[in-house]
């Protein structure tokens, strides 16, 4: 059964429905920003949309609301909400990031699931989660997507919230390198990144601006 191979992947309870103990945002402000974010995410030229703000200003509440809306529309492919207060669940680190998203994508799309399973059945990928995280992103996400989702009526969205809660600055820098690998996703994908403007995040976007000119990553919403 296809699910047997996927069930062996370790994953974190990172979807928006599991989020706990996060600050709220006034409904009026949340709805206004959500409407703007949804508009940007659905525009073909936008690969990354960055929702930035200080701690406690409601970024996660907005991301959760956007995720819920996109889920109802059937276009939320995956989400990962970090939480430094939930140690031991994989929400305060980056180790389970690739496998968690891969499992969610497999649930979202049957073609991706079958493509992922074919790769997991390769003998040299028995211990895929022991490989470097960069290799895992490529093996578990990028490669299985080749020739999948090349086009479609609606854009598909991945939401990443609270990246600054993944650990220290070194880990945050490493995480942003993994996020930038999503440039290799099919054009139909948009990624909402919600976090504080930490140096590691800003420097990563700087590198993306220098390297990629085909979509606009410089969309900031100040809270």
């Amino acid at each position: 059964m296809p699910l047997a191979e996927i069930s062996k992947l370790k994953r974190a309870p990172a979807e928006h429905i599991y989020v706990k103990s996060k600050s709220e945002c006034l409904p009026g402000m949340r709805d206004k920003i959500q409407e703007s974010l949804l508009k940007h995410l659905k525009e073909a030229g936008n690969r990354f949309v960055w929702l930035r703000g200080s701690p406690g200003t409601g970024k996660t509440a907005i991301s959760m609301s956007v995720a819920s809306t996109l889920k109802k529309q059937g276009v939320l492919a995956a989400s990962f909400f970090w939480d430094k207060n939930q140690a031991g669940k994989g929400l305060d680190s980056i180790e389970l990031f690739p496998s968690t998203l891969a499992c969610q994508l497999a649930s979202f799309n049957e073609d991706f699931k079958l493509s992922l399973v074919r790769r997991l059945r390769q003998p040299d990928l028995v211990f895929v989660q022991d490989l470097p995280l960069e290799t895992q992103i490529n093996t578990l996400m990028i490669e299985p997507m080749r020739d999948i989702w090349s086009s479609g009526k609606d854009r598909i969205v991945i939401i990443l919230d609270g990246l600054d809660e993944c650990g220290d600055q070194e880990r945050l820098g490493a995480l942003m390198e993994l996020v930038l690998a999503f440039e290799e996703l099919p054009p139909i994908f948009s990624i909402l990144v919600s976090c504080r403007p930490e140096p590691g995040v800003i420097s990563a976007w700087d590198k993306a601006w220098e390297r990629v000119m085909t979509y606009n990553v410089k969309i900031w919403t100040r809270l």
Side-chain angles (χ1 to χ4, degrees), residues 187-204:
I188 197 172
F189 276 88
S190 291
I191 297 92
L192 172 61
V193 176
S194 172
C195 65
R196 291 182 287 177
E198 297 286 351
V201 178
I202 295 173
S203 63

Side-chain angles (χ1 to χ4, degrees), residues 87-104:
K89 294 186 177 182
L91 301 177
D92 61 340
S93 65
I94 63 177
E95 281 69 28
L96 298 182
F97 176 54
S99 56
T100 297
L101 287 193
C103 289
Q104 292 183 41

Side-chain angles (χ1 to χ4, degrees), residues 42-74:
K42 292 177 180 180
E43 291 177 355
N46 298 328
R47 171 70 88 191
F48 296 105
V49 176
W50 179 22
L51 176 65
R52 55 176 281 175
S54 302
T57 50
K59 297 184 300 299
T60 295
I62 294 169
S63 295
M64 290 172 61
S65 182
V66 171
S68 179
T69 298
L70 294 173
K71 180 74 172 179
K72 292 176 182 177
Q73 296 175 354

Side-chain angles (χ1 to χ4, degrees), residues 85-178:
N85 296 316
Q86 296 198 55
K89 294 186 177 182
L91 301 177
D92 61 340
S93 65
I94 63 177
E95 281 69 28
L96 298 182
F97 176 54
S99 56
T100 297
L101 287 193
C103 289
Q104 292 183 41
L105 288 166
S107 296
F108 179 75
N109 183 274
E110 183 70 17
D111 290 335
F112 176 85
K113 179 173 70 175
L114 296 176
S115 181
L116 175 61
V117 168
R118 284 195 294 271
R119 281 159 177 78
L120 292 176
R121 287 176 176 171
Q122 296 176 8
D124 57 340
L125 294 179
V126 173
F127 301 105
V128 64
Q129 289 190 264
D130 291 334
L131 298 173
L133 293 177
E134 296 85 349
T135 305
Q136 290 187 43
I137 282 287
N138 190 58
T139 301
L140 298 176
M141 290 186 63
I142 307 301
E143 290 182 359
M145 284 190 190
R146 298 278 161 78
D147 301 323
I148 297 176
W149 289 319
S150 58
S151 63
K153 182 177 68 173
D154 300 313
R155 291 185 66 76
I156 298 170
V157 181
I158 294 174
I159 296 181
L160 309 175
D161 177 84
L163 286 73
D164 44 274
E165 299 194 29
C166 75
D168 56 23
Q169 288 296 316
E170 182 178 356
R171 285 190 177 185
L172 177 57
L175 174 57
M176 285 304 299
E177 290 298 321
L178 299 178

